[in-house]
Coordinates of all heavy atoms in Angstrom, one line a residue:
M1 N -49.4 -4.9 -13.4 CA -50.8 -4.9 -13.8 C -51.5 -6.1 -13.2 O -52.7 -6.3 -13.5 CB -50.9 -5.0 -15.4 CG -50.3 -3.8 -16.1 SD -51.2 -2.3 -15.5 CE -51.2 -1.4 -17.0
T2 N -50.9 -6.9 -12.4 CA -51.5 -8.1 -11.9 C -52.8 -7.8 -11.1 O -53.8 -8.5 -11.3 CB -50.5 -8.9 -11.0 OG1 -49.3 -9.2 -11.7 CG2 -51.1 -10.2 -10.5
I3 N -52.7 -6.9 -10.2 CA -53.9 -6.6 -9.4 C -55.0 -6.0 -10.3 O -56.2 -6.4 -10.1 CB -53.5 -5.6 -8.3 CG1 -52.6 -6.3 -7.3 CG2 -54.8 -5.1 -7.6 CD1 -52.0 -5.4 -6.2
K4 N -54.7 -5.2 -11.3 CA -55.8 -4.7 -12.2 C -56.4 -5.9 -12.9 O -57.6 -5.9 -13.2 CB -55.2 -3.7 -13.1 CG -55.0 -2.3 -12.5 CD -54.5 -1.3 -13.5 CE -54.3 0.0 -12.9 NZ -53.9 1.0 -13.9
E5 N -55.6 -6.8 -13.4 CA -56.1 -8.0 -14.1 C -57.0 -8.8 -13.2 O -58.1 -9.3 -13.7 CB -54.9 -8.9 -14.6 CG -54.1 -8.3 -15.7 CD -52.8 -9.1 -15.9 OE1 -52.7 -10.2 -15.4 OE2 -52.0 -8.6 -16.7
I6 N -56.7 -9.0 -12.0 CA -57.5 -9.8 -11.1 C -58.9 -9.1 -10.9 O -59.9 -9.7 -10.9 CB -56.8 -10.0 -9.7 CG1 -55.7 -11.0 -9.9 CG2 -57.8 -10.5 -8.6 CD1 -54.8 -11.1 -8.7
K7 N -58.8 -7.8 -10.6 CA -60.1 -7.0 -10.4 C -61.0 -7.1 -11.7 O -62.2 -7.2 -11.6 CB -59.8 -5.6 -10.1 CG -59.3 -5.4 -8.6 CD -59.2 -4.0 -8.2 CE -59.0 -3.9 -6.7 NZ -59.4 -2.6 -6.1
E8 N -60.4 -7.1 -12.8 CA -61.1 -7.1 -14.1 C -61.8 -8.5 -14.2 O -62.9 -8.7 -14.5 CB -60.2 -6.8 -15.3 CG -61.0 -6.7 -16.6 CD -62.0 -5.6 -16.6 OE1 -61.8 -4.5 -16.0 OE2 -63.0 -5.8 -17.3
E9 N -61.0 -9.6 -14.0 CA -61.5 -11.0 -14.1 C -62.6 -11.3 -13.0 O -63.5 -12.1 -13.3 CB -60.3 -12.0 -13.9 CG -59.4 -12.0 -15.2 CD -58.4 -13.1 -15.1 OE1 -58.6 -14.2 -14.5 OE2 -57.2 -12.8 -15.6
L10 N -62.5 -10.6 -11.9 CA -63.5 -10.9 -10.8 C -64.9 -10.4 -11.3 O -65.9 -10.9 -10.8 CB -63.1 -10.2 -9.5 CG -62.1 -10.9 -8.7 CD1 -61.7 -10.0 -7.5 CD2 -62.7 -12.2 -8.1
K11 N -65.0 -9.5 -12.2 CA -66.3 -9.0 -12.6 C -67.2 -10.1 -13.2 O -68.4 -10.0 -13.1 CB -66.1 -7.9 -13.7 CG -65.5 -6.6 -13.1 CD -65.3 -5.6 -14.2 CE -64.6 -4.3 -13.7 NZ -64.4 -3.3 -14.7
T12 N -66.5 -11.1 -13.7 CA -67.3 -12.2 -14.3 C -67.0 -13.6 -13.7 O -67.5 -14.6 -14.2 CB -67.1 -12.3 -15.8 OG1 -65.7 -12.5 -16.1 CG2 -67.6 -11.1 -16.5
A13 N -66.3 -13.6 -12.6 CA -65.8 -14.9 -12.0 C -66.9 -15.4 -11.0 O -67.6 -14.6 -10.4 CB -64.5 -14.6 -11.3
N14 N -66.8 -16.7 -10.8 CA -67.7 -17.3 -9.7 C -66.8 -18.0 -8.7 O -67.3 -18.9 -7.9 CB -68.7 -18.2 -10.3 CG -68.1 -19.3 -11.2 OD1 -66.9 -19.5 -11.2 ND2 -69.0 -20.0 -11.9
H15 N -65.5 -17.8 -8.7 CA -64.6 -18.3 -7.7 C -63.4 -17.4 -7.6 O -63.2 -16.5 -8.4 CB -64.1 -19.7 -8.2 CG -63.4 -19.6 -9.6 ND1 -62.1 -19.2 -9.8 CD2 -63.9 -19.9 -10.8 CE1 -61.9 -19.2 -11.1 NE2 -62.9 -19.7 -11.7
P16 N -62.6 -17.5 -6.5 CA -61.5 -16.6 -6.3 C -60.5 -16.6 -7.5 O -60.4 -17.7 -8.1 CB -60.8 -17.1 -5.0 CG -61.9 -17.9 -4.3 CD -62.7 -18.4 -5.4
I17 N -59.8 -15.5 -7.7 CA -58.8 -15.4 -8.8 C -57.5 -15.2 -8.2 O -57.3 -14.3 -7.3 CB -59.1 -14.2 -9.7 CG1 -60.5 -14.4 -10.4 CG2 -58.1 -14.1 -10.8 CD1 -60.7 -15.5 -11.3
A18 N -56.5 -16.1 -8.5 CA -55.1 -16.0 -8.0 C -54.2 -15.8 -9.1 O -54.3 -16.5 -10.1 CB -54.8 -17.2 -7.1
K19 N -53.2 -14.9 -8.9 CA -52.1 -14.7 -9.9 C -50.8 -14.5 -9.2 O -50.8 -13.9 -8.1 CB -52.5 -13.5 -10.8 CG -53.7 -13.8 -11.7 CD -53.7 -12.7 -12.8 CE -54.9 -12.9 -13.7 NZ -54.7 -13.9 -14.7
S20 N -49.8 -14.9 -9.9 CA -48.4 -14.7 -9.3 C -48.0 -13.3 -9.5 O -48.1 -12.7 -10.5 CB -47.4 -15.6 -10.1 OG -46.1 -15.4 -9.6
L21 N -47.6 -12.7 -8.4 CA -47.1 -11.3 -8.4 C -45.6 -11.3 -8.6 O -45.0 -10.5 -9.2 CB -47.5 -10.6 -7.1 CG -47.1 -9.1 -7.0 CD1 -47.9 -8.3 -8.0 CD2 -47.5 -8.6 -5.6
H22 N -44.9 -12.3 -7.9 CA -43.4 -12.4 -7.9 C -43.0 -13.8 -7.5 O -43.7 -14.4 -6.6 CB -42.9 -11.3 -7.0 CG -41.4 -11.2 -7.0 ND1 -40.7 -10.8 -8.2 CD2 -40.4 -11.4 -6.1 CE1 -39.4 -10.8 -7.9 NE2 -39.2 -11.1 -6.7
H23 N -42.0 -14.3 -8.0 CA -41.5 -15.6 -7.6 C -40.0 -15.7 -7.8 O -39.4 -14.9 -8.6 CB -42.2 -16.7 -8.3 CG -41.9 -16.8 -9.8 ND1 -42.6 -16.0 -10.7 CD2 -41.1 -17.5 -10.5 CE1 -42.2 -16.2 -11.9 NE2 -41.2 -17.1 -11.9
G24 N -39.4 -16.6 -7.1 CA -37.9 -16.8 -7.3 C -37.6 -18.2 -6.7 O -38.5 -19.0 -6.5
T25 N -36.3 -18.4 -6.5 CA -35.9 -19.7 -6.0 C -36.4 -19.9 -4.6 O -36.0 -19.2 -3.6 CB -34.3 -19.8 -6.0 OG1 -33.9 -19.5 -7.3 CG2 -33.9 -21.2 -5.5
G26 N -37.3 -20.8 -4.4 CA -37.8 -21.2 -3.1 C -38.9 -20.3 -2.5 O -39.3 -20.4 -1.3
F27 N -39.4 -19.3 -3.3 CA -40.5 -18.5 -2.8 C -41.4 -18.0 -3.9 O -41.0 -18.0 -5.1 CB -40.0 -17.3 -2.0 CG -39.6 -16.2 -2.9 CD1 -40.5 -15.1 -3.3 CD2 -38.3 -16.1 -3.5 CE1 -40.1 -14.1 -4.1 CE2 -37.9 -15.1 -4.3 CZ -38.8 -14.1 -4.6
K28 N -42.7 -17.7 -3.5 CA -43.5 -17.0 -4.5 C -44.5 -16.1 -3.7 O -44.8 -16.4 -2.6 CB -44.2 -18.0 -5.4 CG -45.2 -19.0 -4.8 CD -45.7 -19.9 -5.9 CE -46.4 -21.1 -5.3 NZ -47.0 -22.0 -6.4
V29 N -45.0 -15.1 -4.4 CA -46.0 -14.2 -3.9 C -47.1 -14.2 -4.8 O -47.0 -13.9 -6.0 CB -45.4 -12.8 -3.7 CG1 -46.4 -11.8 -3.1 CG2 -44.1 -12.8 -2.8
L30 N -48.3 -14.5 -4.3 CA -49.5 -14.5 -5.1 C -50.5 -13.4 -4.6 O -50.5 -13.1 -3.4 CB -50.3 -15.9 -4.9 CG -49.5 -17.1 -5.3 CD1 -50.3 -18.3 -4.9 CD2 -49.2 -17.1 -6.8
V31 N -51.3 -12.9 -5.5 CA -52.4 -12.0 -5.1 C -53.7 -12.8 -5.4 O -53.8 -13.4 -6.4 CB -52.4 -10.7 -6.0 CG1 -53.6 -9.9 -5.6 CG2 -51.1 -9.9 -5.7
V32 N -54.6 -12.8 -4.4 CA -55.8 -13.6 -4.5 C -57.0 -12.6 -4.4 O -57.0 -11.8 -3.4 CB -55.9 -14.7 -3.4 CG1 -57.2 -15.5 -3.7 CG2 -54.7 -15.5 -3.4
G33 N -57.8 -12.6 -5.4 CA -59.0 -11.7 -5.3 C -60.3 -12.4 -5.1 O -60.5 -13.5 -5.6
F34 N -61.2 -11.8 -4.3 CA -62.4 -12.5 -3.9 C -63.6 -11.4 -4.1 O -63.4 -10.3 -3.8 CB -62.5 -12.8 -2.4 CG -61.5 -13.8 -2.0 CD1 -60.2 -13.4 -1.6 CD2 -61.8 -15.1 -1.8 CE1 -59.3 -14.3 -1.1 CE2 -60.9 -16.1 -1.3 CZ -59.7 -15.7 -0.9
L35 N -64.7 -11.9 -4.5 CA -65.9 -11.1 -4.4 C -66.6 -11.6 -3.1 O -66.4 -12.7 -2.6 CB -66.9 -11.3 -5.5 CG -66.4 -10.8 -6.9 CD1 -67.4 -11.1 -8.0 CD2 -66.1 -9.3 -6.9
K36 N -67.4 -10.8 -2.5 CA -68.1 -11.1 -1.2 C -68.8 -12.5 -1.4 O -69.4 -12.8 -2.4 CB -69.2 -10.1 -0.9 CG -69.9 -10.4 0.4 CD -70.9 -9.3 0.7 CE -71.6 -9.6 2.0 NZ -72.5 -8.5 2.4
G37 N -68.5 -13.4 -0.4 CA -69.1 -14.7 -0.4 C -68.3 -15.8 -1.1 O -68.6 -17.0 -0.9
M38 N -67.3 -15.4 -1.8 CA -66.5 -16.4 -2.5 C -65.6 -17.2 -1.4 O -65.2 -16.6 -0.4 CB -65.5 -15.8 -3.5 CG -66.2 -15.4 -4.8 SD -65.0 -14.8 -6.0 CE -66.0 -14.7 -7.4
V39 N -65.4 -18.5 -1.7 CA -64.6 -19.3 -0.8 C -63.5 -20.0 -1.5 O -63.7 -20.5 -2.6 CB -65.5 -20.4 -0.2 CG1 -64.7 -21.3 0.7 CG2 -66.7 -19.8 0.6
L40 N -62.3 -19.9 -0.9 CA -61.2 -20.7 -1.3 C -61.3 -22.0 -0.5 O -61.1 -22.0 0.7 CB -59.9 -19.9 -1.0 CG -58.6 -20.5 -1.6 CD1 -58.6 -20.7 -3.1 CD2 -57.4 -19.7 -1.2
K41 N -61.7 -23.0 -1.2 CA -62.0 -24.3 -0.6 C -60.9 -24.9 0.3 O -59.7 -24.5 0.1 CB -62.4 -25.3 -1.6 CG -63.7 -25.0 -2.3 CD -64.2 -26.1 -3.2 CE -63.5 -26.0 -4.6 NZ -63.9 -26.9 -5.6
E42 N -61.2 -25.8 1.2 CA -60.3 -26.4 2.1 C -59.1 -27.0 1.3 O -59.3 -27.6 0.3 CB -60.9 -27.5 2.9 CG -61.9 -26.9 4.0 CD -62.3 -28.0 4.9 OE1 -62.3 -29.2 4.6 OE2 -62.8 -27.7 6.0
H43 N -57.9 -26.7 1.8 CA -56.7 -27.2 1.2 C -55.6 -27.2 2.3 O -55.8 -26.7 3.4 CB -56.3 -26.4 0.0 CG -56.1 -25.0 0.3 ND1 -57.1 -24.1 0.5 CD2 -54.9 -24.3 0.4 CE1 -56.6 -22.9 0.7 NE2 -55.3 -23.0 0.7
K44 N -54.4 -27.7 2.0 CA -53.3 -27.6 2.9 C -52.1 -26.9 2.3 O -51.9 -26.9 1.1 CB -52.8 -29.1 3.2 CG -53.8 -29.8 4.0 CD -53.3 -31.2 4.4 CE -54.4 -32.0 5.2 NZ -53.9 -33.3 5.6
A45 N -51.4 -26.2 3.1 CA -50.1 -25.5 2.7 C -49.0 -26.5 2.8 O -48.8 -27.1 3.9 CB -49.9 -24.3 3.5
H46 N -48.2 -26.6 1.8 CA -47.1 -27.6 1.8 C -45.7 -26.8 2.0 O -44.7 -27.4 2.1 CB -47.0 -28.4 0.6 CG -48.3 -29.1 0.3 ND1 -48.8 -30.1 1.2 CD2 -49.2 -29.0 -0.7 CE1 -49.9 -30.6 0.7 NE2 -50.2 -29.9 -0.4
T47 N -45.8 -25.5 2.0 CA -44.7 -24.6 2.3 C -45.1 -23.5 3.3 O -46.3 -23.3 3.5 CB -44.1 -23.9 1.0 OG1 -45.2 -23.1 0.5 CG2 -43.7 -24.9 0.0
V48 N -44.1 -22.9 4.0 CA -44.4 -21.9 4.9 C -45.1 -20.7 4.2 O -44.7 -20.3 3.1 CB -43.1 -21.3 5.5 CG1 -43.3 -20.1 6.4 CG2 -42.3 -22.4 6.3
S49 N -46.3 -20.3 4.7 CA -47.1 -19.3 4.0 C -47.7 -18.3 5.0 O -47.9 -18.6 6.2 CB -48.3 -20.0 3.3 OG -47.8 -21.0 2.4
K50 N -48.0 -17.1 4.4 CA -48.6 -16.1 5.2 C -49.6 -15.4 4.3 O -49.4 -15.1 3.2 CB -47.6 -15.0 5.7 CG -48.2 -13.9 6.4 CD -47.2 -12.9 6.9 CE -46.4 -13.5 8.1 NZ -46.0 -12.6 9.1
L51 N -50.8 -15.2 4.9 CA -51.9 -14.5 4.2 C -52.1 -13.1 4.8 O -52.2 -12.9 6.0 CB -53.2 -15.3 4.3 CG -54.4 -14.7 3.6 CD1 -54.3 -14.9 2.1 CD2 -55.7 -15.4 4.1
T52 N -52.0 -12.1 3.9 CA -52.2 -10.7 4.3 C -53.3 -10.0 3.5 O -53.4 -10.2 2.3 CB -50.9 -9.9 4.1 OG1 -49.8 -10.5 4.7 CG2 -51.0 -8.4 4.6
V53 N -54.3 -9.4 4.2 CA -55.4 -8.7 3.6 C -55.0 -7.3 3.2 O -54.6 -6.5 4.0 CB -56.6 -8.7 4.5 CG1 -57.8 -8.0 3.8 CG2 -57.0 -10.1 4.9
L54 N -55.1 -7.1 1.8 CA -54.8 -5.7 1.3 C -56.0 -4.8 1.3 O -56.0 -3.7 1.6 CB -54.2 -5.8 -0.1 CG -52.9 -6.3 -0.3 CD1 -52.5 -6.3 -1.8 CD2 -51.8 -5.5 0.5
E55 N -57.1 -5.4 0.9 CA -58.4 -4.7 0.8 C -59.5 -5.7 1.3 O -59.4 -6.9 1.1 CB -58.8 -4.3 -0.6 CG -57.9 -3.3 -1.3 CD -58.3 -3.1 -2.7 OE1 -59.3 -3.6 -3.2 OE2 -57.6 -2.3 -3.4
G56 N -60.5 -5.1 1.9 CA -61.7 -5.9 2.3 C -61.5 -6.7 3.6 O -60.7 -6.2 4.5
A57 N -62.1 -7.8 3.8 CA -62.1 -8.6 5.0 C -62.4 -10.1 4.6 O -63.3 -10.3 3.8 CB -63.1 -8.1 6.0
V58 N -61.7 -11.0 5.3 CA -61.9 -12.4 5.0 C -62.0 -13.2 6.3 O -61.6 -12.7 7.4 CB -60.8 -13.1 4.1 CG1 -60.7 -12.4 2.8 CG2 -59.5 -13.0 4.9
I59 N -62.6 -14.4 6.2 CA -62.6 -15.3 7.4 C -61.6 -16.4 7.0 O -61.8 -17.1 6.0 CB -64.0 -15.9 7.7 CG1 -65.0 -14.7 8.0 CG2 -64.0 -16.9 8.8 CD1 -66.4 -15.2 8.1
Y60 N -60.6 -16.6 7.9 CA -59.7 -17.7 7.7 C -60.1 -18.8 8.7 O -60.2 -18.5 9.9 CB -58.2 -17.2 8.0 CG -57.2 -18.3 8.1 CD1 -56.6 -18.8 7.0 CD2 -56.9 -18.8 9.3 CE1 -55.7 -19.8 7.0 CE2 -56.0 -19.9 9.4 CZ -55.4 -20.4 8.3 OH -54.5 -21.4 8.4
K61 N -60.3 -20.0 8.2 CA -60.7 -21.1 9.0 C -59.7 -22.3 8.9 O -59.3 -22.7 7.9 CB -62.1 -21.7 8.5 CG -63.2 -20.7 8.6 CD -64.5 -21.3 8.1 CE -65.6 -20.3 8.1 NZ -66.8 -20.9 7.5
E62 N -59.4 -22.8 10.1 CA -58.5 -23.9 10.3 C -59.3 -25.0 11.1 O -60.4 -24.7 11.5 CB -57.3 -23.6 11.1 CG -56.1 -23.2 10.4 CD -55.0 -22.8 11.4 OE1 -54.9 -23.3 12.5 OE2 -54.1 -22.0 10.9
E63 N -58.7 -26.1 11.3 CA -59.4 -27.1 12.1 C -59.9 -26.6 13.4 O -61.0 -26.9 13.8 CB -58.4 -28.3 12.3 CG -58.0 -29.0 11.0 CD -56.8 -29.9 11.2 OE1 -56.2 -29.9 12.3 OE2 -56.6 -30.7 10.3
D64 N -59.1 -25.9 14.2 CA -59.5 -25.5 15.5 C -59.5 -24.0 15.8 O -59.6 -23.5 16.9 CB -58.5 -26.0 16.6 CG -58.5 -27.6 16.6 OD1 -59.6 -28.1 16.4 OD2 -57.5 -28.2 16.8
R65 N -59.5 -23.2 14.7 CA -59.6 -21.7 14.9 C -60.2 -21.0 13.7 O -60.1 -21.5 12.6 CB -58.2 -21.1 15.2 CG -57.2 -21.0 14.1 CD -56.0 -20.3 14.5 NE -55.0 -20.4 13.5 CZ -53.9 -19.6 13.4 NH1 -53.8 -18.6 14.2 NH2 -53.1 -19.8 12.4
V66 N -60.9 -19.9 14.0 CA -61.5 -19.1 13.0 C -61.1 -17.7 13.2 O -61.3 -17.2 14.4 CB -63.1 -19.2 13.0 CG1 -63.7 -18.3 12.0 CG2 -63.5 -20.7 12.7
L67 N -60.6 -17.0 12.2 CA -60.1 -15.6 12.4 C -60.7 -14.7 11.4 O -60.8 -15.1 10.2 CB -58.6 -15.5 12.2 CG -57.7 -16.4 13.1 CD1 -56.2 -16.3 12.7 CD2 -57.8 -15.8 14.5
E68 N -61.2 -13.6 11.8 CA -61.7 -12.6 10.9 C -60.5 -11.6 10.7 O -60.0 -11.0 11.6 CB -62.9 -11.8 11.5 CG -64.1 -12.6 11.5 CD -65.3 -11.7 12.0 OE1 -65.3 -10.5 12.0 OE2 -66.4 -12.3 12.3
L69 N -60.1 -11.5 9.4 CA -59.0 -10.7 9.1 C -59.5 -9.5 8.3 O -60.1 -9.7 7.2 CB -57.9 -11.4 8.3 CG -57.4 -12.7 8.9 CD1 -56.5 -13.5 7.9 CD2 -56.6 -12.3 10.2
K70 N -59.1 -8.3 8.7 CA -59.5 -7.1 8.0 C -58.2 -6.5 7.3 O -57.1 -7.0 7.5 CB -60.1 -6.1 9.0 CG -61.4 -6.6 9.5 CD -62.1 -5.6 10.4 CE -63.5 -6.0 10.7 NZ -63.8 -6.9 11.8
Q71 N -58.4 -5.4 6.6 CA -57.3 -4.7 5.9 C -56.1 -4.6 6.7 O -56.1 -4.2 7.9 CB -57.8 -3.3 5.4 CG -56.8 -2.7 4.5 CD -57.3 -1.4 3.9 OE1 -58.0 -0.6 4.6 NE2 -57.0 -1.1 2.7
Y72 N -55.0 -5.1 6.1 CA -53.6 -5.1 6.7 C -53.4 -6.1 7.8 O -52.3 -6.1 8.3 CB -53.2 -3.7 7.1 CG -53.4 -2.6 6.1 CD1 -54.0 -1.4 6.4 CD2 -53.0 -2.8 4.8 CE1 -54.2 -0.4 5.5 CE2 -53.2 -1.8 3.8 CZ -53.8 -0.6 4.2 OH -54.1 0.4 3.2
E73 N -54.3 -6.9 8.1 CA -54.1 -8.0 9.1 C -53.6 -9.2 8.4 O -53.8 -9.4 7.2 CB -55.4 -8.3 9.9 CG -55.8 -7.1 10.7 CD -57.1 -7.3 11.5 OE1 -57.9 -8.1 11.1 OE2 -57.2 -6.7 12.6
E74 N -52.9 -10.1 9.1 CA -52.3 -11.2 8.5 C -52.3 -12.4 9.4 O -52.6 -12.3 10.6 CB -50.8 -10.9 8.2 CG -50.0 -10.5 9.4 CD -48.7 -9.9 9.1 OE1 -48.6 -9.1 8.1 OE2 -47.7 -10.2 9.8
V75 N -52.1 -13.6 8.8 CA -52.0 -14.8 9.6 C -51.0 -15.7 9.0 O -50.8 -15.8 7.7 CB -53.4 -15.6 9.6 CG1 -53.9 -16.0 8.2 CG2 -53.4 -16.8 10.5
D76 N -50.2 -16.4 9.8 CA -49.3 -17.4 9.4 C -50.1 -18.7 9.2 O -50.8 -19.1 10.1 CB -48.1 -17.6 10.4 CG -47.2 -16.4 10.5 OD1 -46.8 -15.9 9.4 OD2 -46.8 -16.0 11.6
I77 N -49.9 -19.3 8.1 CA -50.6 -20.6 7.8 C -49.7 -21.7 8.1 O -48.6 -21.9 7.5 CB -51.0 -20.6 6.3 CG1 -51.9 -19.4 6.0 CG2 -51.8 -21.9 6.0 CD1 -52.3 -19.2 4.6
P78 N -50.1 -22.6 9.0 CA -49.3 -23.7 9.4 C -49.2 -24.8 8.3 O -50.1 -24.9 7.5 CB -49.9 -24.3 10.7 CG -51.3 -23.7 10.7 CD -51.3 -22.5 9.9
L79 N -48.1 -25.5 8.3 CA -47.9 -26.5 7.3 C -48.8 -27.7 7.5 O -49.1 -28.1 8.7 CB -46.4 -27.1 7.4 CG -45.3 -26.1 7.0 CD1 -44.0 -26.7 7.3 CD2 -45.4 -25.8 5.5
E80 N -49.4 -28.2 6.4 CA -50.1 -29.5 6.4 C -51.4 -29.4 7.3 O -51.8 -30.5 7.8 CB -49.3 -30.7 6.8 CG -48.0 -30.8 5.9 CD -48.3 -31.0 4.4 OE1 -49.4 -31.5 4.0 OE2 -47.5 -30.5 3.6
I81 N -51.9 -28.2 7.5 CA -53.2 -28.1 8.3 C -54.3 -27.7 7.3 O -54.1 -26.7 6.6 CB -53.1 -27.1 9.4 CG1 -52.0 -27.5 10.4 CG2 -54.4 -26.8 10.1 CD1 -52.3 -28.7 11.2
T82 N -55.4 -28.4 7.3 CA -56.5 -28.0 6.4 C -57.1 -26.7 6.8 O -57.3 -26.4 8.0 CB -57.6 -29.1 6.5 OG1 -57.0 -30.4 6.1 CG2 -58.7 -28.8 5.5
H83 N -57.2 -25.8 5.8 CA -57.8 -24.5 6.0 C -58.5 -24.0 4.8 O -58.4 -24.5 3.7 CB -56.7 -23.5 6.4 CG -55.6 -23.3 5.3 ND1 -54.6 -24.2 5.1 CD2 -55.5 -22.3 4.4 CE1 -53.9 -23.8 4.1 NE2 -54.4 -22.7 3.6
S84 N -59.3 -22.9 5.0 CA -60.1 -22.3 3.9 C -60.2 -20.8 4.2 O -59.9 -20.3 5.3 CB -61.5 -22.9 3.8 OG -62.2 -22.6 5.0
V85 N -60.6 -20.1 3.1 CA -60.7 -18.6 3.3 C -62.0 -18.2 2.6 O -62.3 -18.6 1.5 CB -59.5 -17.9 2.6 CG1 -59.7 -16.4 2.7 CG2 -58.2 -18.3 3.1
E86 N -62.8 -17.4 3.3 CA -64.1 -16.9 2.8 C -64.1 -15.4 2.8 O -63.7 -14.8 3.9 CB -65.3 -17.5 3.6 CG -66.6 -17.0 3.1 CD -67.8 -17.6 3.8 OE1 -67.6 -18.5 4.6 OE2 -68.9 -17.2 3.5
A87 N -64.6 -14.8 1.8 CA -64.6 -13.3 1.7 C -65.9 -12.8 2.4 O -67.0 -13.1 2.0 CB -64.5 -12.8 0.3
M88 N -65.7 -11.9 3.4 CA -66.9 -11.2 4.0 C -67.3 -10.0 3.2 O -68.4 -9.6 3.3 CB -66.5 -10.8 5.4 CG -66.2 -11.9 6.4 SD -66.0 -11.5 8.1 CE -64.6 -10.3 8.0
E89 N -66.4 -9.6 2.4 CA -66.7 -8.5 1.4 C -65.7 -8.6 0.3 O -64.8 -9.5 0.3 CB -66.6 -7.1 2.1 CG -65.3 -6.9 2.8 CD -65.3 -5.6 3.7 OE1 -65.9 -5.6 4.7 OE2 -64.6 -4.6 3.3
D90 N -65.9 -7.9 -0.8 CA -64.9 -7.9 -1.9 C -63.5 -7.7 -1.3 O -63.3 -6.7 -0.5 CB -65.2 -6.8 -2.9 CG -66.5 -7.1 -3.7 OD1 -67.2 -8.1 -3.4 OD2 -66.9 -6.2 -4.5
S91 N -62.5 -8.5 -1.6 CA -61.3 -8.5 -0.9 C -60.1 -8.8 -1.9 O -60.3 -9.5 -2.9 CB -61.2 -9.6 0.2 OG -62.3 -9.3 1.1
L92 N -58.9 -8.3 -1.5 CA -57.7 -8.7 -2.2 C -56.7 -9.1 -1.1 O -56.5 -8.4 -0.1 CB -57.1 -7.4 -2.9 CG -57.5 -7.2 -4.3 CD1 -56.9 -5.9 -4.8 CD2 -57.2 -8.3 -5.3
C93 N -56.0 -10.2 -1.3 CA -55.1 -10.7 -0.3 C -53.7 -11.0 -1.0 O -53.7 -11.3 -2.2 CB -55.6 -12.0 0.3 SG -57.1 -11.8 1.2
I94 N -52.7 -10.9 -0.2 CA -51.4 -11.4 -0.7 C -51.1 -12.7 0.0 O -51.2 -12.8 1.3 CB -50.3 -10.4 -0.4 CG1 -50.4 -9.2 -1.4 CG2 -48.9 -11.0 -0.6 CD1 -49.3 -8.2 -1.4
L95 N -50.7 -13.7 -0.7 CA -50.2 -14.9 -0.1 C -48.8 -15.1 -0.4 O -48.4 -15.2 -1.6 CB -51.0 -16.1 -0.7 CG -50.6 -17.5 -0.2 CD1 -51.0 -17.6 1.3 CD2 -51.3 -18.6 -1.0
S96 N -47.9 -15.1 0.6 CA -46.5 -15.3 0.4 C -46.1 -16.7 0.8 O -46.6 -17.2 1.9 CB -45.7 -14.2 1.2 OG -46.0 -14.2 2.5
Q97 N -45.4 -17.4 0.0 CA -45.0 -18.8 0.3 C -43.5 -18.9 0.1 O -42.9 -18.4 -0.8 CB -45.7 -19.7 -0.7 CG -47.2 -19.6 -0.6 CD -47.9 -20.5 -1.7 OE1 -47.5 -20.5 -2.8 NE2 -48.9 -21.3 -1.3
G98 N -42.9 -19.7 1.0 CA -41.5 -20.0 1.0 C -40.8 -19.2 2.1 O -41.4 -18.5 2.9
E99 N -39.5 -19.4 2.2 CA -38.7 -18.9 3.3 C -37.7 -17.8 2.8 O -37.4 -17.8 1.6 CB -38.0 -20.0 4.0 CG -39.0 -20.9 4.6 CD -38.3 -21.9 5.5 OE1 -37.5 -21.5 6.4 OE2 -38.6 -23.1 5.4

């Protein structure tokens, strides 16, 4: 029910909603929901991470690159590099962390 919960919470949210979908020893999988225009502010990944777009489209920004990611596209997020994510439309993403 995680994805349904995120979609319901987004109806009244003013920031992205993230919830754990699955986790174990050394890894976790999060679902992140956005409404158009929402921004996941600049931050750094401290573990190996990958962002995959399930629905919608987002802009992934790093220090030296900007990528538009649409449904089913993905990006590996480098360690300790400042990055942000902005929704170009209502979007759902999976963020997998760990090895």
